[in-house]
Amino acid sequence: MVTDVVAPIVPPFRGNLLGEARFQLEFLGLLASGVYRGQDVPPGDDDPVLAVPGFLAGDASLTVLRSWLRRCGYRAYRSGIAWNVDCSEAAVRRLDRRLADVAERSGRPVTVIGHSRGGLLAHAVAVRRPGRVRRVITLGSPLSSPFDASVLTLAAVGGARLGQNLLRPARPQCLTVDCPCAFGRDLRASPPVPVTSIRTVEDGIVRPESCLVDGADNLAVRGSHIGLCVNADVYSHIARLLR
């Protein structure tokens, strides 16, 4: 007798929006840390790093990270994203052009660091252009399940999807699991470059388990999702990975 296997029902992730407010304390902790002052951080060799912001954010959200990278001897570049809410395929194509520009300027493969949704874009562009990418480092990016986020975050995604449908009526599946664009295919593939996924076990925006990736170097820290951009432990991991 054959019994159908029923997949377990995963309850909605409610998250912890209040807990995310502590990113300000995490920023103060970073400023007081030795890693931020460059202690025990090997100097970079002018290697290029492209930083990609998360959902509903822009390049300004990664200003502290880029400034620290430059002081450590790296060439840190903006992604050119002012507000990360666009169609994923369109965003990857623009990021691809930006990556080509950075790689051409530096004459070297580029390390791409992506926060949250930015990590999804970084992963996809590495699949498409592995020759231009040295390594991918994601911060709180749900690579194994892109929409495994808190109820409030999914509501914001729904608002962005509504806006996309008004602008592009021919793409009703934009920002859904059923999106037929190449972005979804690239997200399911494994880029032939090293990938490190850094997650926080106290994430209030994305379910932490969705950041675990087969074949990647999966690292865990403590802190908020928003604060991953200013987390001293994250900076220590990045310093080690870059060298």
Side-chain angles (χ1 to χ4, degrees):
M1 178 177 176
V2 179
T3 304
D4 292 336
V5 178
V6 179
I9 298 175
V10 179
F13 181 58
R14 301 195 181 279
N16 181 8
L17 196 58
L18 266 178
E20 288 298 308
R22 62 186 151 157
F23 80 90
Q24 301 171 68
L25 295 176
E26 292 163 358
F27 176 51
L28 293 177
L30 173 67
L31 296 181
S33 69
V35 67
Y36 186 71
R37 296 191 299 274
Q39 292 179 6
D40 299 322
V41 177
D45 189 24
D46 243 11
D47 287 327
V49 181
L50 180 60
V52 189
F55 180 60
L56 294 179
D59 284 327
S61 66
L62 299 177
T63 299
V64 175
L65 176 61
R66 290 194 310 272
S67 175
W68 172 74
L69 287 167
R70 290 182 185 122
R71 287 190 288 104
C72 291
Y74 297 92
R75 280 185 282 177
Y77 294 89
R78 296 169 178 260
S79 68
I81 296 175
W83 195 31
N84 196 346
V85 294
D86 199 4
C87 158
S88 299
E89 178 62 23
V92 170
R93 290 180 182 178
R94 284 196 298 272
L95 186 61
D96 184 17
R97 292 193 292 270
R98 179 60 173 156
L99 174 66
D101 177 55
V102 171
E104 184 177 349
R105 284 193 200 181
S106 62
R108 309 179 191 180
V110 182
T111 294
V112 187
I113 301 177
H115 178 224
S116 196
R117 189 192 188 208
L120 306 183
L121 304 180
H123 181 280
V125 81
V127 170
R128 297 186 190 187
R129 310 295 182 194
R132 295 175 181 161
V133 178
R134 176 189 176 197
R135 150 187 310 275
V136 171
I137 302 173
T138 65
L139 312 178
S141 302
L143 290 169
S144 64
S145 185
F147 292 94
D148 197 359
S150 71
V151 175
L152 287 175
T153 302
L154 292 179
V157 172
R161 182 167 58 249
L162 177 61
Q164 291 296 326
N165 290 340
L166 291 174
L167 294 172
R168 303 183 180 93
R171 299 182 182 178
Q173 295 169 311
C174 190
L175 295 178
T176 72
V177 293
D178 299 317
C179 178
C181 294
F183 170 76
R185 178 200 65 209
D186 293 338
L187 207 55
R188 292 187 295 272
S190 297
V193 300
V195 176
T196 298
S197 174
I198 302 177
R199 73 188 187 283
T200 166
V201 296
E202 301 166 335
D203 202 311
I205 301 292
V206 165
R207 196 189 304 268
E209 293 78 12
S210 66
C211 301
L212 293 170
V213 188
D214 290 338
D217 184 16
N218 295 294
L219 304 175
V221 299
R222 303 189 74 87
S224 67
H225 178 88
I226 296 173
L228 285 168
C229 302
V230 290
N231 184 303
D233 290 335
V234 170
Y235 279 46
S236 293
H237 284 309
I238 291 175
R240 176 181 58 82
L241 292 165
L242 289 178
R243 299 304 298 169

